[in-house]
Amino acid sequence: MDSEPQASVVWRNRALTLFDRIPMPVAVCDVHGAIVLANPAMATEWGATPGGLRGRNVLDRFRPQEPTQIERIAQALRLRHRSRYPVSVCWDAADGVRRHGELTADPVSDSVEAMPALLVLVRVLGECPKPDRAAAAPPASPAEARILVLLAGGATTARAARETGLTVDGVTYHLRRLSQRWGAANRTELVARAYALGVLMPGVWPPEAAGC
């Protein structure tokens, strides 16, 4: 009677040992990217312990080079697709080096009906050259600027999605990333920062993005 539970414990311990020994950064995440379990190699990239990563969002460290890739993955997961999803990412590692590589997300679950978890693996491809301060990236991408123009004009998230051709989730993703980047607490503050940073043209109605 007790042999099966004991065997399960032994199997789980062996699986966790193998998980910890994988030399590549690996994590198990929920469908929103929150880390449930991480191996030491993943923790090393964050400068943390595996347990300290629990609840952190994997995209806080590994930034997609094409944000639209994340929206496509989210849509595929909502439709219960089970493919492997590669994403080109870059990140600032704990040792101060900026790296680039490929993040793959494999949906895993006990049944077809269940909402899957994501087995996330990062393959390091190389180091990025140090950014040229004279050619620093703009504070907002063209897609982000377009969303901010619409918000400044009073558009709802649903209307911003229609006007930009994104989904509501896609607009929300861009706004969340902007809020994190600028330290904005809400959408009113986001719009105010957009004017302060020169993303939106001051004194113009209806709102326009700078450089348009």
Side-chain angles (χ1 to χ4, degrees):
M1 295 290 292
D2 295 335
S3 61
E4 186 172 350
Q6 181 65 28
S8 297
V9 170
V10 171
W11 182 89
R12 183 172 65 252
N13 288 340
R14 287 179 177 174
L16 289 175
T17 299
L18 290 173
F19 182 79
D20 286 345
R21 289 179 178 175
I22 296 173
M24 302 174 71
V26 182
V28 177
C29 305
D30 67 16
V31 292
H32 304 291
I35 296 173
V36 177
L37 185 67
N39 74 341
M42 176 67 78
T44 296
E45 293 299 320
W46 295 65
T49 63
L53 294 185
R54 192 171 295 114
R56 300 285 296 274
N57 194 296
V58 72
L59 295 180
D60 289 343
R61 174 68 50 165
F62 302 100
R63 297 180 296 276
Q65 295 186 26
E66 296 181 25
T68 55
Q69 290 179 309
I70 300 302
E71 172 55 25
R72 290 197 294 269
I73 293 173
Q75 179 65 18
L77 291 173
R78 285 192 291 268
L79 296 173
R80 298 292 197 273
H81 293 172
R82 298 282 165 164
S83 301
R84 168 176 290 187
Y85 303 103
V87 181
S88 297
V89 292
C90 60
W91 67 97
D92 295 313
D95 58 9
V97 176
R98 174 164 291 187
R99 299 189 177 104
H100 68 94
E102 183 180 73
L103 179 151
T104 58
D106 288 283
V108 291
S109 64
D110 294 331
S111 67
V112 175
E113 294 77 16
M115 181 61 73
L118 296 176
L119 180 62
V120 172
L121 184 146
V122 177
R123 184 160 60 97
V124 181
L125 297 179
E127 297 181 1
C128 300
K130 293 183 178 180
D132 183 355
R133 293 183 180 273
S141 69
E144 291 168 342
R146 175 60 178 153
I147 291 170
L148 289 167
V149 165
L150 292 165
L151 290 186
T156 63
T157 303
R159 181 186 162 195
R162 290 194 301 271
E163 294 286 339
T164 57
L166 296 170
T167 64
V168 170
D169 286 345
V171 172
T172 301
Y173 170 81
H174 282 295
L175 294 177
R176 184 171 65 250
R177 300 299 292 176
L178 279 170
S179 296
Q180 292 172 346
R181 192 187 314 150
W182 293 353
N186 51 51
R187 296 187 181 191
T188 300
E189 190 171 337
L190 266 181
V191 171
R193 299 257 176 133
Y195 280 110
L197 292 169
V199 176
L200 299 180
M201 294 180 62
V204 175
W205 190 265
E208 292 183 14
C212 291

